C-alpha cells in the first residue's frame, strides 16, 4: 500500500500528529458514525484490503471495535493472538509480521505489552501499522474516541477542562489523551497519588492535583483510569479500599461538584475501586458512548491510512468516486 498523504504510513501515537491531523480524524469519524446505525452496516471503502489484528495483550473493546470497523468498511480481516500462534514457540514480532507480509496484507493493527512495539514494527514492514496500545506509551485511537465523545457532548474541545484521574503512571491512555487534548486547546490536568503520577508529568503541559476534591472543583470532564493492578509489582497504594476512599469517583463526590461533570472511563473498570457503579451507570457517564464512538474513530483511521481524505469521507462511504 502506498504511503497515505494525510496521516503518513502508520498511526503510532498522537505525539507525532499536529492539531489539524487530529481534528481531521475526528471530523472524518462524523460521517462514519451513521454506518453503524444502518440495518446493513457495510460500505465498500476498504474492499479488497486485508488487515491483520495482532493482539499480544488482552482486549475486549479495542480488538472488537477494530474488527467491526474493518468489516463495516468491507476489509478482509484476520485475528492473531499470542496464544495459539507461533509467538508461543518463541517467534519474534518481526518474523511474525514478515510471514504475514508474505501472504500480502495491507495493514496491521497491533496491541503489545512493550512501549515502542508499534513504531518498531512500522519501521520494518511496508504495511500500514496502527497502534492499538503499546505498553505505557500510547493508545491513540482510545484518546481519539475520548475526544470525539467530549466534543459530541460539550460541542467543543478548545478550553474544556479535562482531568485524568488515577493510575497515570502506567497509562498509555493518559499519554495519548494529554497529547491530543492539549494540541486541540483543552486544558488538561492529572490527579492521583504521587506514586501513580509519572515524574515530571507537568512538562507535558498539564496541571497536577493530588486531592481529587480539588480536581473535581476545577474540571468539566473526568477521564477516570483503571488501576492497572497487573502492572503494579510494588506497593503503589496501601489497599484498594483506601484508594477508593481517597481517590475513588463516588456519587457523593460527583454530587458535590460545582457543575455537571462528564464522566469517561476507557474500560475495563474496577467498579468500587476507581469508580463507583452509581457513577459509572449514572446520568453523567458517557462510557458507553465512548465505545460506540470507538467504531467510527477506527473506521476514520483505517480510511485515512488507506489514502482517504477527510473531505471525501461522506462521498466515500456511499461507494461513489
Ligand atoms: N479501552 C481499552 O483499550 O479496552 P480494551 O483493553 O478492552 O481494549
Amino acid at each position: 500500500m502506498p504511503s497515505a498523504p494525510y496521516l503518513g504510513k502508520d498511526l503510532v501515537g498522537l505525539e507525532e500528529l499536529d492539531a489539524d491531523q487530529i481534528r481531521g480524524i475526528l471530523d472524518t469519524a462524523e460521517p462514519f458514525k451513521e454506518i453503524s446505525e444502518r440495518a446493513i452496516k457495510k460500505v465498500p471503502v476498504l474492499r479488497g484490503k486485508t488487515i491483520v489484528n495482532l493482539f499480544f495483550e488482552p482486549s475486549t473493546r479495542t480488538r472488537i471495535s477494530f474488527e467491526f470497523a474493518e468489516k463495516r468498511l468491507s476489509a478482509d480481516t484476520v485475528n492473531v493472538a499470542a496464544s495459539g500462534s507461533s509467538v508461543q514457540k518463541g517467534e519474534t514480532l518481526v518474523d511474525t509480521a514478515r510471514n504475514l507480509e508474505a501472504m500480502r496484507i495491507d495493514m496491521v493493527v497491533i496491541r503489545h505489552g512493550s512501549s515502542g512495539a508499534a513504531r518498531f514494527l512500522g519501521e520494518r514492514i511496508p504495511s500500514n501499522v496502527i497502534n492499538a496500545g503499546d505498553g505505557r506509551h500510547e493508545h491513540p485511537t482510545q484518546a481519539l474516541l475520548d475526544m470525539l465523545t467530549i466534543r459530541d457532548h460539550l460541542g467543543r474541545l478548545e478550553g474544556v477542562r479535562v482531568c485524568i484521574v488515577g493510575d497515570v503512571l502506567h497509562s498509555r491512555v493518559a499519554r495519548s489523551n494529554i497529547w491530543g487534548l492539549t494540541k486541540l486547546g483543552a486544558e488538561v490536568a492529572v490527579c492521583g497519588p504521587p506514586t501513580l503520577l509519572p515524574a515530571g508529568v507537568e512538562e507535558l503541559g498539564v496541571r497536577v492535583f493530588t486531592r481529587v476534591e480539588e480536581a473535581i472543583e476545577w474540571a468539566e470532564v473526568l477521564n477516570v483510569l483503571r488501576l492497572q493492578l497487573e502492572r503494579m509489582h510494588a506497593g503503589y497504594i496501601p489497599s484498594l479500599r483506601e484508594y477508593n476512599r481517597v481517590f475513588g469517583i463516588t456519587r457523593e463526590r460527583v454530587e458535590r461538584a460545582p457543575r455537571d461533570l462528564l464522566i469517561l472511563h476507557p474500560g475495563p473498570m474496577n467498579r468500587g475501586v476507581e469508580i463507583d457503579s452509581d457513577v459509572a451507570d449514572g446520568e453523567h457517564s458517557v462510557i458507553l458512548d465512548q465505545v460506540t464512538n470507538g467504531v467510527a474513530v477506527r473506521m476514520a483511521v483505517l480510511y485515512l491510512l488507506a489514502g482517504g481524505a477527510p473531505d471525501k469521507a461522506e462521498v466515500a462511504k456511499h461507494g461513489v468516486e
Side-chain angles (χ1 to χ4, degrees):
M1 175 165 293
S3 285
Y6 191 75
L7 292 181
K9 183 175 93 63
D10 306 321
L11 177 62
V12 169
L14 299 192
E15 182 178 3
E16 287 81 24
L17 301 188
D18 63 29
D20 284 341
Q21 288 174 308
I22 295 171
R23 208 173 289 114
I25 299 171
L26 301 184
D27 292 345
T28 303
E30 291 294 346
F32 284 128
K33 283 179 182 173
E34 179 263 329
I35 297 166
S36 296
E37 305 305 323
R38 296 181 189 174
I40 298 172
K41 302 171 179 49
K42 221 169 181 66
V43 294
V45 170
L46 293 184
R47 193 166 47 200
K49 303 288 183 202
T50 304
I51 304 178
V52 176
N53 300 311
L54 209 52
F55 275 70
F56 290 165
E57 273 194 334
S59 169
T60 298
R61 279 146 292 270
T62 312
R63 183 178 58 77
I64 293 172
S65 115
F66 262 113
E67 200 177 342
F68 277 141
E70 293 155 4
K71 287 187 189 310
R72 288 175 193 178
L73 295 179
S74 304
D76 297 314
T77 68
V78 176
N79 296 323
V80 180
S83 132
S85 76
S86 289
V87 172
Q88 277 193 318
K89 301 179 199 161
E91 186 162 62
T92 66
L93 175 59
V94 169
D95 279 340
T96 300
R98 284 191 180 139
N99 279 274
L100 295 169
E101 287 279 356
M103 296 181 233
R104 305 291 179 251
I105 60 169
D106 298 295
M107 293 188 185
V108 176
V109 177
I110 180 170
R111 169 165 291 194
H112 200 283
S114 298
S115 302
R119 184 189 311 281
F120 179 84
L121 192 60
E123 287 169 351
R124 283 163 180 79
I125 62 172
S127 295
N128 304 104
V129 172
I130 303 174
N131 183 4
D134 61 333
R136 298 182 187 188
H137 173 230
E138 282 222 39
H139 190 347
T141 56
Q142 178 67 45
L144 289 162
L145 72 89
D146 293 346
M147 287 191 280
L148 186 63
T149 306
I150 296 169
R151 194 173 79 167
D152 282 352
H153 284 270
L154 300 185
R156 69 195 206 288
L157 286 166
E158 188 152 11
V160 173
R161 294 191 301 280
V162 182
C163 187
I164 302 165
V165 185
D167 184 358
V168 182
L169 181 70
H170 297 105
S171 179
R172 52 201 178 205
V173 174
R175 274 166 196 75
S176 289
N177 264 273
I178 291 169
W179 287 118
L181 285 164
T182 54
K183 286 179 189 201
L184 291 201
E187 291 183 51
V188 183
V190 295
C191 174
T195 49
L196 292 179
L197 297 178
V201 68
E202 305 86 345
E203 288 159 26
L204 296 177
V206 301
R207 292 174 69 133
V208 177
F209 293 105
T210 50
R211 290 192 63 244
V212 75
E213 291 78 8
E214 285 178 14
I216 288 174
E217 180 84 19
W218 174 84
E220 298 169 81
V221 179
L222 297 182
N223 197 346
V224 187
L225 299 178
R226 182 173 73 89
L227 277 190
Q228 298 195 32
L229 301 168
E230 74 279 15
R231 298 191 211 269
M232 293 187 196
H233 304 298
Y236 290 92
I237 53 170
S239 68
L240 298 185
R241 184 191 291 253
E242 181 68 2
Y243 182 85
N244 181 258
R245 192 182 68 76
V246 180
F247 286 100
I249 304 304
T250 61
R251 188 175 56 174
E252 294 70 32
R253 288 193 167 117
V254 170
E255 282 176 353
R256 265 188 255 127
R259 62 190 70 77
D260 280 350
L261 289 167
L262 203 63
I263 308 284
L264 287 82
H265 191 304
M269 292 182 273
N270 295 305
R271 288 174 180 262
V273 181
E274 70 265 2
I275 189 165
D276 282 3
S277 283
D278 283 351
V279 178
D281 304 327
E283 58 178 324
H284 301 295
S285 169
V286 292
I287 293 169
L288 293 179
D289 294 349
Q290 290 172 261
V291 178
T292 303
N293 276 339
V295 178
V297 155
R298 289 168 179 132
M299 282 180 174
V301 167
L302 293 163
Y303 163 76
L304 293 171
L305 284 176
D311 59 349
K312 302 271 179 8
E314 181 64 46
V315 176
K317 76 174 194 182
H318 294 296
V320 182
E321 289 303 321

